[in-house]
Amino acid sequence: MTLVRKMRMTDMIKPVQLPSPWGDARLTVVVPTYNEAGNLPALVERLLALPLPGLRILVADDNSPDGTGEVADKLAIENPDRVEVVHRAGKEGLGRAYVDGMSRAIEGGAEYVAQMDADLSHPPEALPGMLGALLSTQASVVIGSRYVPGGELDENWPLYRRALSGWANLYVHTLLRVRIRDLTAGFKIWRADALRDINLERVQSNGYSFQVEMHYLATKLGHTILEVPIRFEERRDGVSKMTTATKVESALMPFRLRSKHRNITR
């Protein structure tokens, strides 16, 4: 049975200083992008400022028409040993971008793989504490959670988004029986070995339901999942990528997951 534990993090503003060798861990942060030219430079700057010398950034851009790919290339030239860009053919969905980026991160030698949005809704400064929580436990993945004690939502997050997020969590909980409070969370750090065990090639979700499928697979395979609180911010630049199509996919996916992964084995 998967063990889901809740842990408080006391400081979500100032990044914690991890002792060696924890702070030197090979951590690759995968950031899918589509029209995030206004946010990406600030995100990369904040990530590279963290006290994690082993941190690398992999931007997976879906041929953004606003020039995000070119912005990412410039950042990679300025930081050749720490920023890498994967240019994808087009907008194939968040799930496909993550599968591509995470697979490349593992192939590149990452011991740990983080995933986060490019819109600055996830606080980069929380990553050292999340990595410390992962390394100090037997967890396979640490989730930056909005819905455990201590977690917060930006006061500017629209009411309809709060309602949709709450309904989605209740809906998936009911159908899949996964004991995670923030089932749709997109801010996480995985052990590379856990991702190999899950086998990214069998992940089918294209959109935001990728998060649910990954949690479901980890649960079915008996991995320990740890949630720590974060403050989730509303994006300051650009627009949300949540479309009617992604909402429909997310609504149907739990039924598909129950059928597809019912008898999953390693």
Side-chain angles (χ1 to χ4, degrees), residues 1-6 137-141 179-180 218-219 221-227:
M1 178 182 296
T2 300
L3 173 64
V4 181
R5 301 168 59 189
K6 313 294 190 291
T137 66
Q138 297 300 310
S140 295
V141 56
R179 294 188 297 128
I180 302 172
T219 298
L221 291 169
H223 287 281
T224 300
I225 300 170
L226 174 65
E227 294 186 81

Side-chain angles (χ1 to χ4, degrees), residues 31-244:
V31 184
T33 56
Y34 187 78
N35 287 349
E36 295 291 355
N39 290 315
L40 188 61
L43 174 62
V44 169
E45 180 181 7
R46 288 170 65 180
L47 284 170
L48 294 181
L50 296 175
L52 297 172
L55 183 146
R56 303 292 182 269
I57 303 167
L58 192 155
V59 178
D61 184 64
D62 275 7
N63 196 22
S64 300
D66 76 338
T68 302
E70 289 78 7
V71 171
D73 284 337
K74 184 175 183 293
L75 293 167
I77 292 171
E78 294 170 352
N79 304 278
D81 298 323
R82 303 196 69 185
V83 180
E84 177 184 356
V85 185
V86 175
H87 292 281
R88 292 160 45 78
K91 190 176 182 183
E92 299 176 6
L94 183 71
R96 295 300 92 201
Y98 264 130
V99 167
D100 193 1
M102 295 166 90
S103 298
R104 289 174 185 251
I106 294 171
E107 292 169 3
E111 299 173 289
Y112 308 95
V113 179
Q115 54 176 106
M116 66 186 304
D117 293 344
D119 61 6
L120 301 175
S121 58
H122 300 141
E125 294 75 19
L127 279 172
M130 291 170 64
L131 180 60
L134 183 69
L135 295 176
S136 63
T137 66
Q138 297 300 310
S140 295
V141 56
V142 168
I143 298 172
S145 176
R146 299 162 287 186
Y147 301 130
V148 293
E152 297 180 45
L153 285 170
D154 191 320
E155 295 80 4
N156 294 318
W157 215 41
L159 182 59
Y160 80 92
R161 291 287 303 277
R162 292 171 181 263
L164 179 62
S165 178
W167 177 85
N169 273 280
L170 177 61
Y171 175 74
V172 177
H173 272 296
T174 302
L175 290 176
L176 298 182
R177 305 294 183 184
V178 178
R179 294 188 297 128
I180 302 172
R181 292 197 182 186
D182 199 345
L183 272 163
T184 59
F187 189 27
K188 287 168 273 194
I189 303 180
W190 295 86
R191 294 184 188 269
D193 286 344
L195 293 175
R196 292 189 186 97
D197 187 46
I198 287 172
N199 185 1
L200 292 167
E201 292 183 359
R202 64 180 153 200
V203 177
Q204 300 299 310
S205 302
N206 291 326
Y208 289 88
S209 57
F210 169 81
Q211 315 294 2
V212 173
E213 183 169 10
M214 290 293 288
H215 294 152
Y216 186 62
L217 286 168
T219 298
K220 293 286 286 185
L221 291 169
H223 287 281
T224 300
I225 300 170
L226 174 65
E227 294 186 81
V228 298
I230 64 161
R231 175 178 170 80
F232 183 89
E233 300 287 345
E234 175 66 305
R235 68 161 55 241
R236 298 293 186 262
D237 186 87
V239 297
S240 173
K241 310 305 187 299
M242 181 70 72
T243 65
T244 299

